[in-house]
């Protein structure tokens, strides 16, 4: 009969196989079984840290890497993985210390030296941006004379006069599919027009589904333009009677974030009363700097385009209430049971452009459900987690059927948790080209019944995720 130590190694080896198959959830479960049998092997913790990084459970990854380092103080791989996890949650100074340790332990590692230098650049940039930050910076639209901006005669796309048109959107869909851009004048027009529309909307938009209409709720799309096109192919394009709600995180990571952002904004301009966009945690400046959207804007257009998008992101609503039955918000629920829908209604999001480290806005964008009752520390290292009892109390207190949120990969594209009262929908299949998940969307008709649909990823041009991230080598595929 094999010893517990031998059984633990067998679980670890099976975990490695699951990891190689991009099944992060199974890998974590197997590494956990190995740890339960032998909690003194630092490799088990380090491997689980890597699987947690792939699952974006950066807080858990930091804890695992830290335990591995306690067991083996010179464990280079554990320092490296902890540094990656710190980088992912924007704790660049902590990451810098770990990269320095990696290089000191293994001076011949050229890759580690390169990542250390990249991390130093991030720290310098963060410090520079903090030093020049001003409270009332003028809008990037100031001094932009759109009337005198010329669109060259040779521009071969449809044109915007004063209003968005279906003809322009149809042409834009094809241009983007073929790797073309739209003229920067039209980019400016679209973002400026939509910023005004969403600024004037409530922090929590309240809508009803008419008798002859249908609403589709989509989760994260993360710059995966060709997968969004597949969703539209299967489910139909937005129309006056086919409403859509995109629940945040439509930019970053995937390398067609400007295309998705411009398309969603064009539909919002065309149909402001039947097309809805919630803000996600990636529609924020600090995330855009790390995860690629800022770099993509600059590469495809210019810095002013990014600044205009940034202003528009801070104007986006934080939640949508569907038929007084479903609260749709990107992250999840709150650290205080006393929070009500009225508190969301009263929240003045315009006084706080970025979500910060605490408060209602941060929690709406960042929190996650957990299976255990009560509340717990975030597996991400940001925000917190809430249990089924928290969801039940919130729904009961606010007469809600359920909360619909996004923010996390689900292998089947969606998941009903907390006795069906917390629903996660995620619309980026084969997320970052590295997770074998399906995408999903939810159709809701006038009867307010939820109709779930799953779909698979489709091929896309050979451009990797994070292609425009300033430190794509540092972040890898996490």
């Amino acid at each position: 009969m094999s010893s517990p130590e031998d059984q633990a190694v067998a679980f670890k080896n099976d975990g490695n196989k699951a990891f190689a198959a991009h099944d992060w959830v199974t890998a974590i479960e197997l590494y956990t079984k190995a740890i339960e049998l032998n909690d003194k092997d630092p490799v088990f913790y380090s491997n689980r840290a890597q699987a947690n990084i792939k699952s974006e459970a950066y807080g858990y990854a930091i804890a695992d890497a830290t335990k591995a380092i306690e067991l083996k103080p010179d464990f280079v791989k554990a320092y490296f993985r902890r540094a990656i996890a710190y980088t992912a949650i924007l704790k660049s100074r902590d990451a810098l210390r770990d990269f320095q340790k990696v290089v000191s332990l293994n001076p011949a590692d050229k890759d580690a030296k390169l990542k250390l230098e990249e991390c130093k650049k991030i720290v310098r940039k963060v410090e520079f941006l903090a030093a020049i930050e001003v409270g009332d910076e003028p809008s990037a639209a100031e001094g932009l004379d759109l009337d005198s901006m010329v669109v060259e005669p040779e521009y071969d796309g449809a044109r915007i006069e004063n209003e968005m048109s279906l003809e322009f959107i149809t042409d834009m869909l094809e241009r983007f599919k073929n790797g073309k851009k739209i003229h920067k004048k039209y980019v400016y027009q679209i973002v400026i027009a939509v910023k005004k529309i969403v600024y004037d909307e409530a922090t929590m938009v309240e809508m009803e589904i008419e008798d002859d209409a249908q609403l589709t709720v989509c989760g994260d799309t993360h710059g995966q333009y060709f997968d969004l096109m597949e969703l539209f192919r299967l489910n139909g394009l937005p129309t006056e009677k086919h409403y859509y709600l995109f629940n945040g995180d439509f930019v970053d990571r995937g390398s067609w974030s400007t295309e998705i952002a411009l398309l969603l904004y064009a539909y919002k301009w065309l149909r402001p009363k039947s097309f809805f966009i919630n803000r996600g945690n990636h529609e924020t400046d600090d995330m855009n700097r790390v995860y690629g959207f800022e770099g993509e804007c600059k590469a495809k257009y210019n810095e002013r385009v990014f600044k205009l998008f940034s202003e528009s992101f801070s104007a986006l609503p934080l939640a949508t209430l569907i038929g007084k039955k479903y609260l749709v918000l990107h992250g999840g629920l709150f650290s205080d049971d006393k929070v009500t829908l009225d508190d969301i209604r009263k929240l003045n999001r315009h006084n706080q452009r970025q979500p910060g480290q605490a408060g209602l806005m941060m929690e709406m964008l960042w929190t996650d459900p957990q299976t255990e009752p009560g509340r717990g520390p975030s597996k991400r290292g940001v925000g917190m987690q809430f249990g089924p009892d928290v969801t039940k109390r919130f729904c009961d207190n606010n007469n809600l059927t359920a909360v619909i949120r996004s923010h996390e990969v689900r292998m089947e594209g969606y998941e009903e948790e907390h006795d069906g009262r917390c629903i996660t929908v995620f619309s980026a299949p084969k997320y970052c080209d590295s997770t074998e998940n399906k995408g999903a969307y939810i159709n809701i008709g006038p009867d307010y019944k939820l109709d779930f649909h799953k779909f698979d990823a489709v091929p896309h041009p050979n451009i990797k995720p994070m292609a425009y991230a300033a430190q794509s080598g540092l972040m890898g595929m996490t």
Side-chain angles (χ1 to χ4, degrees), residues 12-26:
K12 185 262 291 183
N13 291 339
D14 288 343
N16 290 350
K17 290 173 187 172
F19 186 91
H22 296 177
D23 186 350
W24 321 128
V25 174
T26 301

Side-chain angles (χ1 to χ4, degrees), residues 92-315:
S92 44
R93 281 196 160 279
D94 293 316
L96 181 63
R97 280 194 293 273
D98 278 345
F99 280 127
Q100 286 170 333
K101 186 71 174 178
V102 170
V103 171
S104 71
L105 289 169
N106 190 6
D109 188 336
K110 292 180 181 177
D111 185 47
K113 286 181 178 177
L114 179 63
K115 287 175 171 55
L116 173 60
E117 290 308 311
E118 289 174 333
C119 193
K120 285 178 181 177
K121 287 178 190 173
I122 296 169
V123 171
R124 284 196 294 268
K125 183 172 183 179
V126 168
E127 290 174 347
F128 172 73
L129 290 168
I132 64 168
E133 190 173 13
V134 291
D136 296 315
E137 191 176 350
S139 169
E142 207 167 285
L144 195 59
D145 186 359
L146 291 174
D147 291 335
S148 64
M149 194 174 292
V150 175
V151 178
E152 298 77 10
E154 59 268 23
Y155 179 72
D156 61 352
R159 299 178 179 235
I160 298 175
E161 298 307 326
N162 296 314
E163 296 293 331
M164 180 52 61
S165 68
L166 196 54
E167 177 201 7
F168 185 89
I169 292 177
T170 303
D171 178 73
M172 184 166 61
L173 282 163
E174 284 301 306
R175 291 185 74 79
F176 290 163
K177 189 172 77 175
N178 295 318
K180 294 182 176 181
K181 296 181 290 186
I182 60 172
H183 196 280
K184 68 180 178 183
K185 176 178 180 176
Y186 302 141
V187 176
Y188 294 147
Q189 282 182 285
I190 291 168
V191 181
I192 290 168
V194 172
K195 179 193 167 186
K196 182 177 188 324
I197 292 168
V198 298
Y199 188 96
D200 292 339
E201 289 184 321
T203 295
M204 182 178 73
V205 172
E206 302 182 46
M207 57 86 65
E208 308 279 335
I209 302 170
E210 296 175 3
D211 288 344
D212 56 349
Q214 171 180 266
L215 168 68
T216 298
V217 180
C218 301
D220 303 30
T221 52
H222 273 304
Q224 295 184 198
Y225 179 78
F226 293 87
D227 295 318
L228 176 58
M229 292 304 96
E230 175 68 358
L231 188 160
F232 283 149
R233 184 187 72 79
L234 293 168
N235 195 52
L237 291 165
T239 68
E240 288 290 354
K241 295 300 181 181
H242 189 168
Y243 314 152
Y244 270 84
L245 164 57
F246 282 82
N247 193 27
D249 279 17
F250 46 93
V251 301
D252 277 343
R253 295 191 181 278
S255 296
W256 292 272
S257 292
T258 57
E259 285 80 0
I260 286 186
L262 288 167
L263 180 60
L264 300 191
Y265 274 26
Y267 273 120
K268 182 64 182 175
W269 190 6
L270 181 68
R271 297 197 173 94
K273 301 300 184 188
S274 61
F275 194 92
F276 308 93
I277 307 172
N278 285 343
R279 188 179 191 179
N281 66 302
H282 275 267
E283 281 74 53
T284 53
D285 285 355
D286 50 3
M287 300 298 277
N288 294 159
R289 290 189 186 112
V290 171
Y291 289 96
F293 184 62
E294 180 183 35
E296 185 179 337
C297 285
K298 290 177 179 178
K300 293 180 179 176
Y301 296 102
N302 56 39
E303 185 174 11
R304 180 176 235 158
V305 165
F306 171 68
K307 289 184 174 178
L308 286 169
F309 266 122
S310 169
E311 292 173 26
S312 74
F313 289 167
S314 69

Side-chain angles (χ1 to χ4, degrees), residues 3-145:
S3 67
E5 288 79 8
D6 290 339
Q7 292 174 42
V9 170
F11 278 128
K12 185 262 291 183
N13 291 339
D14 288 343
N16 290 350
K17 290 173 187 172
F19 186 91
H22 296 177
D23 186 350
W24 321 128
V25 174
T26 301
I28 290 166
E29 289 172 356
L30 290 163
Y31 294 140
T32 300
K33 287 179 179 178
I35 289 166
E36 287 167 352
L37 288 167
N38 179 8
D39 62 0
K40 296 292 186 280
D41 191 326
V43 172
F44 300 164
Y45 291 98
S46 178
N47 284 13
R48 192 170 70 175
Q50 181 68 352
N52 275 317
I53 286 171
K54 292 293 187 180
S55 300
E56 299 186 8
Y58 301 117
Y60 287 176
I62 290 164
D64 277 341
T66 300
K67 182 65 178 176
I69 290 164
E70 286 173 9
L71 292 167
K72 185 180 178 185
D74 62 348
F75 196 172
V76 173
K77 213 174 258 188
Y79 283 108
F80 184 87
R81 287 171 178 168
R82 191 169 70 175
I84 292 293
Y86 276 134
T87 303
I89 59 171
L90 313 182
K91 293 189 174 181
S92 44
R93 281 196 160 279
D94 293 316
L96 181 63
R97 280 194 293 273
D98 278 345
F99 280 127
Q100 286 170 333
K101 186 71 174 178
V102 170
V103 171
S104 71
L105 289 169
N106 190 6
D109 188 336
K110 292 180 181 177
D111 185 47
K113 286 181 178 177
L114 179 63
K115 287 175 171 55
L116 173 60
E117 290 308 311
E118 289 174 333
C119 193
K120 285 178 181 177
K121 287 178 190 173
I122 296 169
V123 171
R124 284 196 294 268
K125 183 172 183 179
V126 168
E127 290 174 347
F128 172 73
L129 290 168
I132 64 168
E133 190 173 13
V134 291
D136 296 315
E137 191 176 350
S139 169
E142 207 167 285
L144 195 59
D145 186 359

